[in-house]
Amino acid sequence: MKKVAFSGAAGNGISPLEQIMVLKGYAVFGSDQSFDLGKDTERKNALTDAGIRIVPQDGSGITPDLEWLCVSAAINENNPDIKAARKYNIPIKTRSDLLQEVFSQYPQGIAVGGTAGKTTTTAMIGYVLDRLGKKPCMINGGALCNYADRKGIPNYLYNNGDVCVIEADESDGSIQKYHPFVGIINNISHDHTSMEKLCEYFNNFAAHSSNLIINMDCPYCAKIQHSSRKTFSILSPNADFYASDITAVTDGLEYTFSGHRFKLPLLGKFNVSNALAAVAACSLTGVDPLEAAKALENFRGIKVRLEKIGTTNGITVYNDFAHNPSKIEASLLALKDYPGRIIAMYQPHTPFSAVNTGTEVAAAVAKVLAPEDIMIMQEIYELTPQDVGISSANIIHQIKEDGHTQALFLPHKEDTKEFIMENARRGDRIVIMGAHDNSLADFSREILEALAG
């Protein structure tokens, strides 16, 4: 049996590849610093259940008989696993390199791009194709709630059919590596790097796509030309795939598409956009668009994408991956479709996200939240001693400058939890937002349990 290893095994983008390699018949070894620190035990156990052998990230799991080592974007040359692989002349692949290798083996590859919504759209496509018998392979950055009873982390499907759908990441420019049968661009907004660089990435991705699906409602997407282009919109009836009369209902939305009324059990009009992109992509594989929209009525969403953790004493708690201005604004707007005060907490995950998008986050929060709503920010996750002078407190100050006075800087989770326990009241919606810090999901559950008394 051939042996391979993954460094950064807990990552959302790399973990589906590890599980697929097990199913392909490889002996798979994985290491992660968080596991060594006793963190992310639930994820560690899930990967172990899926057949991955977890080893320390000290180089000891890198042996001369490995075929290759695959590393996440967080791993650098100083990592012990990298050093051991160099010592033994073991080939080193990036996550995106391996993803491209798997993706290119399928004749109908669907790559989903965009600075928001790509995880949900990827999951929707995989779910629809699976339910309608297309036997897809799906490689995603988020776990599907519909497959929560499966062993391992349900962020992938593995079949040997004709279709493979992947989430294509723009954060490191790797989206440009893929040459899909269908390329999707949901939207383009400020995240990770400059808008100029992001537009360059997405234009190159579009040029590599045999068929392109774009969101007409995004001005940056609308400018992208392609000889085989399909469009979707929730604003313009001129789009190829158009939804109208979107209405918020209990725990979801209803909308009209192609003369029929459909329900989507997710919050936020942006999820109707995601659904249209998914329906458009599935149609290019031969699926009837109405059948695809009907299948999505049973799609239960993605973990930590405005995920409802639960309700107790009339207070509902959500956990959300929102981590850039457009995602934060979209999530808050989705919650504003329903009655009740919002208590929102956002934790930036890097100094970049705070410094380069902080002003836009502040403007979005001040625009969306009502005077009675409360915004909390914790200190930046992954802040290092070199980042002196950078703080979430600066964004809170800007939110107040922009006109929303109910904004607080509470550096630590304990501070946030204490404030919520003292101030939450019946009818409130509490949303915990942020990326990279996997403990935020547990923190959301802690708050719900504490509110239950």
Side-chain angles (χ1 to χ4, degrees):
M1 181 182 289
K2 293 182 178 180
K3 295 170 61 177
V4 296
F6 290 81
S7 191
N12 291 323
I14 205 167
S15 54
L17 288 166
E18 298 158 17
Q19 295 173 99
I20 285 174
M21 287 301 118
V22 171
L23 295 176
K24 280 178 169 286
Y26 289 85
V28 179
F29 296 80
S31 71
D32 198 283
Q33 188 178 53
S34 67
F35 297 160
D36 295 345
L37 296 173
K39 299 178 180 179
D40 293 345
T41 53
E42 184 178 346
R43 181 167 285 250
K44 179 181 177 180
N45 292 338
L47 291 174
T48 300
D49 288 344
I52 290 108
R53 305 172 200 187
I54 302 300
V55 295
Q57 197 172 96
D58 58 5
S60 62
I62 309 302
T63 53
D65 56 344
L66 283 178
E67 295 289 314
W68 41 258
L69 167 67
C70 182
V71 299
S72 75
I75 304 300
N76 60 41
E77 288 291 328
N78 293 321
N79 186 278
D81 286 355
I82 291 269
K83 290 181 178 179
R86 298 287 187 214
K87 175 183 175 181
Y88 297 127
N89 294 316
I90 295 169
I92 298 173
K93 304 180 182 189
T94 65
R95 180 199 63 84
S96 58
D97 289 336
L98 180 58
L99 180 58
Q100 165 58 14
E101 285 181 24
V102 175
F103 183 63
S104 64
Q105 295 168 10
Y106 292 80
Q108 292 185 329
I110 302 172
V112 183
T115 42
K118 57 183 174 289
T119 305
T120 298
T121 304
T122 301
M124 286 177 165
I125 297 168
Y127 173 77
V128 169
L129 294 177
D130 186 43
R131 287 303 167 98
L132 297 183
K134 284 285 189 176
K135 298 187 182 301
C137 177
M138 181 200 69
I139 303 170
N140 202 16
L144 280 71
C145 296
N146 289 87
Y147 302 98
D149 57 346
R150 246 179 36 184
K151 278 189 176 181
I153 301 171
N155 53 7
Y156 75 97
L157 295 168
Y158 180 61
N159 293 289
N160 289 314
D162 292 333
V163 186
C164 180
V165 54
I166 65 169
E167 178 180 350
D169 187 13
E170 80 287 345
S171 65
D172 56 359
S174 61
I175 189 171
Q176 300 169 101
K177 294 182 178 181
Y178 311 114
H179 291 70
F181 172 67
V182 179
I184 299 173
I185 306 178
N186 271 349
N187 44 65
I188 305 172
S189 62
H190 194 192
D191 196 5
H192 308 301
T193 186
S194 68
M195 285 299 297
E196 181 182 15
K197 185 60 71 174
L198 284 172
C199 289
E200 176 188 330
Y201 293 163
F202 284 112
N203 273 286
N204 289 338
F205 171 68
H208 297 161
S209 302
S210 299
N211 299 277
L212 186 68
I213 297 170
I214 62 106
N215 182 2
M216 270 188 70
D217 302 334
C218 170
Y220 294 100
C221 289
K223 293 177 183 177
I224 299 175
Q225 298 301 312
H226 195 278
S227 59
S228 183
R229 190 181 84 157
K230 296 290 185 183
T231 59
F232 64 92
S233 172
I234 61 173
L235 301 177
S236 173
N238 295 323
D240 297 302
F241 295 80
Y242 169 62
S244 62
D245 304 318
I246 302 172
T247 306
V249 296
T250 303
D251 290 332
L253 300 157
E254 290 183 354
Y255 64 97
T256 298
F257 168 64
S258 195
H260 295 76
R261 197 73 175 157
F262 295 97
K263 184 172 181 181
L264 190 65
L266 303 174
L267 305 186
K269 292 180 180 179
F270 59 88
N271 273 315
V272 176
S273 286
N274 294 336
L276 290 174
V279 168
C282 291
S283 74
L284 292 175
T285 71
V287 170
D288 180 271
L290 295 179
E291 287 188 24
K294 187 65 178 176
L296 284 174
E297 292 193 324
N298 294 312
F299 177 74
R300 299 208 307 271
I302 299 290
K303 290 284 187 182
V304 305
R305 266 52 173 196
L306 208 52
E307 178 189 5
K308 182 179 177 180
I309 303 301
T311 300
T312 184
N313 295 322
I315 302 168
T316 303
V317 179
Y318 297 88
N319 183 215
D320 192 31
F321 198 68
H323 59 275
N324 68 26
S326 63
K327 291 177 181 177
I328 292 167
E329 180 176 353
S331 292
L332 294 177
L333 282 171
L335 292 174
K336 294 301 288 185
D337 283 338
Y338 301 87
R341 183 178 67 166
I342 293 174
I343 300 177
M345 188 218 83
Y346 167 50
Q347 176 181 266
H349 62 278
T350 62
F352 178 91
S353 65
V355 173
N356 293 279
T357 66
T359 300
E360 296 166 56
V361 167
V365 168
K367 178 175 70 174
V368 174
L369 292 187
E372 68 271 16
D373 296 328
I374 299 171
M375 185 70 194
I376 301 167
M377 286 191 66
Q378 291 185 175
E379 192 51 280
I380 303 164
Y381 184 68
E382 298 178 347
L383 198 63
T384 70
Q386 288 74 35
D387 300 318
V388 176
I390 301 170
S391 175
S392 295
N394 303 117
I395 305 176
I396 288 295
H397 176 75
Q398 187 63 52
I399 292 171
K400 291 180 177 179
E401 288 285 305
D402 288 346
H404 185 73
T405 57
Q406 292 262 57
L408 302 94
F409 172 57
L410 302 175
H412 309 294
K413 290 183 176 71
E414 295 78 13
D415 305 321
T416 299
K417 183 177 177 181
E418 183 179 345
F419 176 87
I420 290 173
M421 293 305 299
E422 291 177 356
N423 292 275
R425 64 194 188 210
R426 180 171 290 273
D428 283 349
R429 278 84 47 70
I430 297 166
V431 57
I432 304 300
M433 299 183 291
H436 283 213
D437 181 0
N438 290 334
S439 72
L440 289 176
D442 290 336
F443 181 56
S444 303
R445 288 189 282 269
E446 284 177 23
I447 289 174
L448 182 68
E449 290 169 4
L451 290 169

